[in-house]
Amino acid sequence: PKNQTAGFLLQTDRDFSAMSVKQGMHKAFLYYIADEGVILRNNSFPAKGKKTLEERFAGKSDSAFVLSWEPLFEKISETGDLGYTYGVHSNTNRLTGEVIKGTYVTIWQKQTDGSWKFVLDTGTQGLSESSE
């Protein structure tokens, strides 16, 4: 039955965003990344694996900003073990209140314990308010 997982990735992605808001981006990304997950970001090579991410975040603060996002769409494979979400993200500077928006896509894979972790996450910046 395809529909038994409907809405599940949207909720997982919302939970991921909520954790980023409450506990910081670093903690959220380390919690939701699959062991071999990959992150693609502007001006840097792909960061592959949880260990690489831990090293990249080490000694860096994520308290100056709040990263949140809202998934707009999910698609889960018929086999029920792979899917993706996409949507709009907002990065708010805590000091100035400036908000930078963009779009993102996250590819998810169901883990052996039944949880969903991301295997690929990428985003773009530069979404202006007028394009909504």
Side-chain angles (χ1 to χ4, degrees):
K2 287 181 213 173
N3 292 347
Q4 74 185 52
T5 51
F8 196 81
L9 273 187
L10 288 174
Q11 189 55 53
T12 301
D13 206 7
R14 284 188 199 109
D15 293 346
F16 183 14
S17 176
M19 182 184 246
S20 176
V21 170
K22 285 186 191 124
Q23 300 181 42
M25 180 203 84
H26 293 172
K27 201 170 249 185
F29 272 77
L30 289 172
Y31 180 83
Y32 279 97
I33 191 172
D35 288 340
E36 295 299 309
V38 175
I39 289 191
L40 304 178
R41 291 293 181 264
N42 293 342
N43 309 311
S44 60
F45 284 99
K48 184 177 182 190
K50 192 171 186 171
K51 263 195 170 56
T52 303
L53 210 56
E54 284 170 350
E55 290 164 13
R56 188 172 276 191
F57 290 161
K60 287 185 182 165
S61 172
D62 61 1
S63 60
F65 62 90
V66 178
L67 181 67
S68 64
W69 55 91
E70 178 60 41
L72 302 174
F73 182 83
E74 74 168 18
K75 178 75 175 172
I76 300 174
S77 67
E78 286 192 29
T79 52
D81 59 353
L82 201 63
Y84 67 90
T85 51
Y86 68 76
V88 174
H89 65 80
S90 300
N91 194 338
T92 306
N93 184 313
R94 284 189 193 267
L95 295 172
T96 65
E98 182 194 11
V99 178
I100 297 169
K101 289 190 170 195
T103 57
Y104 74 92
V105 63
T106 305
I107 300 174
W108 300 87
Q109 188 169 34
K110 196 172 192 177
Q111 306 298 294
T112 50
D113 67 0
S115 68
W116 288 81
K117 303 282 185 183
F118 74 81
V119 289
L120 184 75
D121 180 80
T122 188
T124 59
Q125 292 180 345
L127 189 65
S128 69
E129 294 293 335
S130 60
S131 61
E132 286 184 20

